[in-house]
Amino acid sequence: MSNANLLLNDLNAKNRVKELLKQKDEIKVTICNMFNGEEKANEILSKLNEIEIEDIKHLTDEKVDELLTVNGELMSIPEDYKDENEYLFKKDLLLYLLQADAMTKDIEKAEEELNKAIEENEKEVNDLLAQHEGSMISAIRAEIVNKGELATTDSLKKTHSEVLNAFDDSFELTRIFDIYSTLNTGNTIRDFEVNFNKVYRQYASVNKRLNITFDLIKFGGLEKKFLDEKYHKHANLFIFIVMKYMAKRNGNLSRHTDGVFCSQLCTNLYLLFTETLEEEYKTQLISNITKILDLFM
């Protein structure tokens, strides 16, 4: 496994664990609100132990009330539901509780598997980062440089040089700035407002050809999250600019240049959004993004 894949897989796993913990907490809060506390919910859940989800709708009204009774007290429900649909609502409560419990168990299983993978790679990841003062970007770049130095032919050396330039430009964004500084930016603004979906489909097709799994569309809201207010009017303009650039490259694609540039830019944005991009690189990336957006102001 390459250094890049090792580090990104580790980061993805750790961020996925955070997402799972958040989901589990949200489920817990919802259950506590619906059942007047975790203790009552757990008591009711213990009585549902022998009941399958598909059996809930067949329960008698008496059985439903029995299940919703804790310490001799029937759980109260909102006044709005105390009508002919009262027991439909109560059954929905029981159904949600069972489904939420199943979801929580699935989350905990996934969390356990991810933590196991993180633990297995922990020493290798820590050793690699230690060699580069904790910098993931520096570790990935060093691997590219090293492969270039080991290249045995002029052709391979040229390829690795192109890869390194594309990697660096995922922060510098020179290719994007240079081309848009020569174009009528008004046309891009019109496309952004009218043809966003069309351009996105073209970009997605290019992404597929380059075998890039990341998608720029995942980084919507960049302007509002990281940039000054003057850039908020056209939220998502930056990712559209890059998508349009990649879409226009359709007939001249290169995995060594376009593929590396777009893939690493997506990685950079992922690190930015997950607050794991080192400050030096974060400052550089945001500065060059605003430099491009200033062409459209």
Side-chain angles (χ1 to χ4, degrees):
M1 184 185 297
S2 71
N3 291 349
N5 287 336
L6 173 67
L7 293 171
L8 288 173
N9 287 347
D10 180 69
L11 180 62
N12 286 336
K14 288 174 179 174
N15 282 320
R16 182 59 183 146
V17 168
K18 290 180 183 177
E19 291 171 0
L20 291 173
L21 289 173
K22 183 179 178 183
Q23 289 177 25
K24 194 161 67 170
D25 285 344
E26 289 172 349
I27 291 172
K28 183 176 178 179
V29 168
T30 302
I31 287 175
C32 286
N33 289 336
M34 293 174 67
F35 292 88
N36 302 319
E38 185 178 5
E39 187 176 342
K40 287 185 178 180
N42 287 338
E43 180 66 27
I44 294 170
L45 185 61
S46 68
K47 293 194 286 185
L48 286 167
N49 193 39
E50 302 292 327
I51 298 175
E52 301 293 335
I53 287 177
E54 57 269 22
D55 295 331
I56 294 292
K57 61 184 177 182
H58 301 299
L59 295 175
T60 64
D61 294 350
E62 292 77 11
K63 184 63 177 178
V64 168
D65 282 345
E66 177 190 327
L67 292 167
L68 290 173
T69 298
V70 178
N71 296 327
E73 181 181 351
L74 178 62
M75 192 185 92
S76 62
I77 63 171
E79 289 293 330
D80 292 347
Y81 293 96
K82 291 181 178 179
D83 54 22
E84 67 273 11
N85 294 317
E86 175 180 344
Y87 283 93
L88 288 177
F89 176 74
K90 289 180 176 180
K91 287 179 181 180
D92 283 343
L93 284 176
L94 295 173
L95 181 62
Y96 178 80
L97 187 58
L98 277 178
Q99 290 173 332
D101 182 59
M103 287 173 60
T104 299
K105 288 176 180 175
D106 287 343
I107 288 171
E108 288 173 345
K109 182 179 179 182
E111 182 187 344
E112 181 181 351
E113 291 172 353
L114 286 166
N115 281 326
K116 183 179 179 182
I118 291 168
E119 185 178 345
E120 288 174 352
N121 292 324
E122 185 176 17
K123 185 180 186 306
E124 192 175 357
V125 168
N126 289 342
D127 288 348
L128 179 58
L129 289 175
Q131 295 171 28
H132 301 279
E133 299 180 351
S135 171
M136 177 183 295
I137 298 299
S138 296
I140 296 172
R141 191 181 190 280
E143 183 177 32
I144 297 172
V145 171
N146 185 54
K147 286 183 177 179
E149 291 173 346
L150 295 175
T152 56
T153 66
D154 289 343
S155 176
L156 280 175
K157 289 177 181 178
K158 181 183 177 183
T159 295
H160 285 296
S161 177
E162 290 174 348
V163 168
L164 183 61
N165 288 336
F167 178 91
D168 288 341
D169 202 36
S170 70
F171 290 99
E172 295 162 1
L173 305 178
T174 304
R175 68 192 65 203
I176 304 293
F177 180 84
D178 286 351
I179 194 165
Y180 279 101
S181 63
T182 66
L183 298 175
N184 180 348
T185 55
N187 290 336
T188 298
I189 292 293
R190 281 192 292 275
D191 279 341
F192 174 69
E193 295 172 342
V194 178
N195 295 317
F196 192 104
N197 290 337
K198 178 182 177 181
V199 171
Y200 172 71
R201 287 194 297 271
Q202 294 170 340
Y203 153 76
S205 175
V206 168
N207 234 23
K208 186 175 181 180
R209 286 177 58 192
L210 290 171
N211 198 30
I212 297 174
T213 54
F214 263 134
D215 191 326
L216 284 166
I217 204 71
K218 295 181 182 294
F219 308 109
L222 181 152
E223 290 84 357
K224 290 186 176 180
K225 188 173 178 65
F226 298 104
L227 306 185
D228 292 340
E229 189 174 350
K230 69 177 182 177
Y231 299 104
H232 295 182
K233 178 181 178 182
H234 290 120
N236 301 327
L237 179 58
F238 174 71
I239 63 170
F240 178 81
I241 289 168
V242 180
M243 287 193 294
K244 185 176 180 182
Y245 167 80
M246 292 301 296
K248 294 296 183 182
R249 294 283 300 161
N250 192 26
N252 302 288
L253 288 174
S254 164
R255 288 182 182 272
H256 301 141
T257 54
D258 300 300
V260 172
F261 168 75
C262 194
S263 177
Q264 186 59 41
L265 176 58
C266 286
T267 297
N268 298 344
L269 293 175
Y270 174 71
L271 297 175
L272 179 66
F273 271 73
T274 55
E275 300 180 354
T276 48
L277 184 62
E278 297 103 273
E279 195 62 34
E280 173 191 353
Y281 293 108
K282 177 180 177 180
T283 300
Q284 181 187 20
L285 182 61
I286 289 178
S287 174
N288 289 321
I289 289 173
T290 56
K291 181 180 173 183
I292 290 168
L293 291 175
D294 283 340
L295 296 171
F296 297 81
M297 300 298 284

